[in-house]
């Protein structure tokens, strides 16, 4: 039905997330959605131009040639302190990523603070701008490969600080309040959600979404296909591949569980 366009891309992604054991009830296995756009600077959004979109055939760590090269280098070098070969030591979805995106809404505010040890994070590290978050996750920050949460496609409320939380002040003096939106949204969260959802349902994304699905839920999720796709994560992230019952050392076991709860988990393969 999806290929015939009888169900929307949004509904299909929710269906796959559910099949893979991901749910709104578990921050560690929250539904994961893709970044679909690469244009957060234009005054108007052109959904007929392929350059408007993110490359859905590549994970966030391989969106630029330079970044991809660095992650391949890391994989080949196997950093001394890592016992395992992988491209990424962080994950594209974790409890803290989910809570940081949705921090302006309860109960996520409380969750975020408890994960941070009781308070908000340093203002410069808080989610405050769609554009700078994209730049961090797609280009600038080697420890940031995060994808999105479904709310980016239907919930304008998470973009405004309606509860007037004191989120702090950035080094450049900017006081954190509402999330800064791309110019094409005209400062309107509803317009951002509307256009972002249109982008998700666009012809371009419909034609390329299956590549991203392969990376997250399908055959490029692990093994040699994942290595080739620059899409391998630390072994602890592959929860279902690790039989914790066989781990006898309680310290190692609690380390692995702590790792998964902090850094996220690969979905079950669909």
């Amino acid at each position: 039905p999806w290929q015939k366009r009888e169900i929307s891309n949004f509904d299909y992604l929710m269906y796959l997330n559910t099949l893979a054991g991901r749910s709104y009830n578990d921050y560690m296995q929250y539904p994961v959605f893709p970044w679909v756009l690469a244009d957060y600077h234009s005054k108007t959004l052109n959904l007929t131009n392929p350059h408007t979109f993110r490359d859905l055939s590549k994970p966030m760590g391989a969106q630029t040639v330079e970044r991809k090269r660095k992650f391949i280098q890391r994989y080949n070098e196997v950093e001394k302190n890592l016992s395992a070969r992988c491209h990424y030591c962080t994950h594209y979805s974790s409890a803290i990523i989910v809570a940081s995106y949705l921090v302006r809404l309860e109960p996520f505010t409380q969750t975020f603070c408890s994960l941070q040890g009781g308070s908000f994070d340093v203002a410069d590290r808080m989610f405050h701008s769609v554009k700078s978050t994209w730049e961090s996750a797609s280009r600038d920050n080697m420890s940031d490969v995060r994808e999105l949460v479904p709310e980016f496609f239907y919930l304008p409320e998470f973009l405004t600080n309606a509860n007037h939380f004191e989120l702090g002040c950035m080094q450049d003096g900017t006081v954190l309040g509402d999330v800064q939106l791309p110019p094409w949204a005209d400062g309107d969260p509803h317009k951002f959600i509307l256009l972002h959802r249109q982008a998700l349902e666009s012809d371009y994304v419909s034609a390329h979404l299956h590549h991203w699905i392969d990376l997250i839920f399908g055959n490029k999720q692990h093994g040699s296909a994942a290595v080739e796709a620059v899409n391998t994560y630390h072994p602890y992230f592959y929860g279902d591949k690790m039989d914790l019952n066989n781990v006898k050392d309680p310290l190692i076991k609690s380390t692995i569980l702590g790792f998964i709860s902090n850094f996220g988990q690969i979905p079950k393969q669909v």
Side-chain angles (χ1 to χ4, degrees):
W2 175 62
Q3 285 174 325
K4 292 185 193 154
R5 298 266 189 117
E6 285 165 13
I7 60 172
S8 67
N9 291 338
F10 183 91
D11 288 340
Y12 187 55
L13 286 170
M14 279 309 297
Y15 171 69
L16 289 173
N17 270 288
T18 306
L19 274 186
R22 298 184 84 84
S23 138
Y24 283 122
N25 301 325
D26 183 352
Y27 294 167
M28 291 188 275
Q29 298 202 58
Y30 206 76
V32 56
F33 268 60
W35 286 96
V36 291
L37 292 171
D39 180 352
Y40 298 96
H41 52 269
S42 298
K43 288 295 283 175
T44 52
L45 195 59
N46 180 358
L47 296 180
T48 59
N49 180 355
H51 295 297
T52 299
F53 297 93
R54 165 254 177 108
D55 185 342
L56 286 158
S57 68
K58 297 187 174 75
M60 289 305 289
Q63 289 295 311
T64 71
V65 176
E66 175 60 12
R67 186 168 162 89
K68 181 179 175 182
R69 187 187 62 74
K70 283 185 187 159
F71 280 120
I72 291 173
Q73 191 179 349
R74 173 192 281 175
Y75 180 87
N76 291 334
E77 282 171 0
V78 189
E79 293 176 0
K80 305 286 178 285
N81 58 351
L82 283 175
S83 53
R85 295 185 84 172
C86 62
H87 295 107
Y88 314 116
C89 313
T90 53
H91 199 250
Y92 49 76
S93 173
S94 65
I96 195 70
I97 290 171
V98 171
S100 70
Y101 278 143
L102 304 173
V103 70
R104 289 163 179 77
L105 294 180
E106 291 288 16
F108 300 98
T109 316
Q110 294 303 317
T111 305
F112 183 82
C113 289
S114 63
L115 287 169
Q116 281 291 341
S119 62
F120 290 121
D121 199 0
V122 180
D124 285 81
R125 287 204 298 261
M126 296 276 288
F127 171 54
H128 66 277
S129 151
V130 180
K131 177 174 182 272
S132 64
T133 303
W134 160 256
E135 287 169 353
S136 169
S138 66
R139 189 186 72 200
D140 297 340
N141 183 348
M142 290 289 283
S143 58
D144 181 2
V145 291
R146 72 191 124 162
E147 295 278 6
L148 299 181
V149 290
E151 284 81 355
F152 271 85
F153 300 95
Y154 68 84
L155 191 72
E157 287 77 11
F158 87 97
L159 297 163
T160 59
N161 187 19
N163 293 318
H164 306 294
F165 292 121
E166 292 190 11
L167 301 171
C169 188
M170 289 167 63
Q171 282 179 343
D172 65 6
T174 309
V175 176
L176 255 59
D178 297 346
V179 175
Q180 292 168 10
L181 301 174
W184 45 259
D186 295 328
D188 179 352
H190 289 86
K191 185 170 181 183
F192 172 83
I193 295 290
L194 177 73
L195 290 171
H196 204 217
R197 183 65 173 263
Q198 283 175 3
L200 178 66
E201 303 299 342
S202 67
D203 289 344
Y204 180 90
V205 172
S206 299
H208 295 86
L209 188 58
H210 63 282
H211 295 303
W212 185 83
I213 290 168
D214 287 344
L215 293 169
I216 306 295
F217 300 107
N219 66 327
K220 293 181 179 170
Q221 190 193 68
H222 58 263
S224 57
V227 176
E228 207 170 310
V230 195
N231 194 41
T232 66
Y233 298 82
H234 193 286
Y236 290 175
F237 294 138
Y238 297 87
D240 58 339
K241 300 275 175 291
M242 294 206 59
D243 188 358
L244 284 175
N245 299 324
N246 289 337
V247 180
K248 295 289 178 266
D249 185 327
L251 187 64
I252 294 176
K253 195 170 192 167
S254 73
T255 303
I256 294 173
L257 287 168
F259 202 91
I260 293 167
S261 64
N262 281 323
F263 294 111
Q265 214 169 342
I266 303 282
K268 288 197 198 83
Q269 194 169 16
V270 174

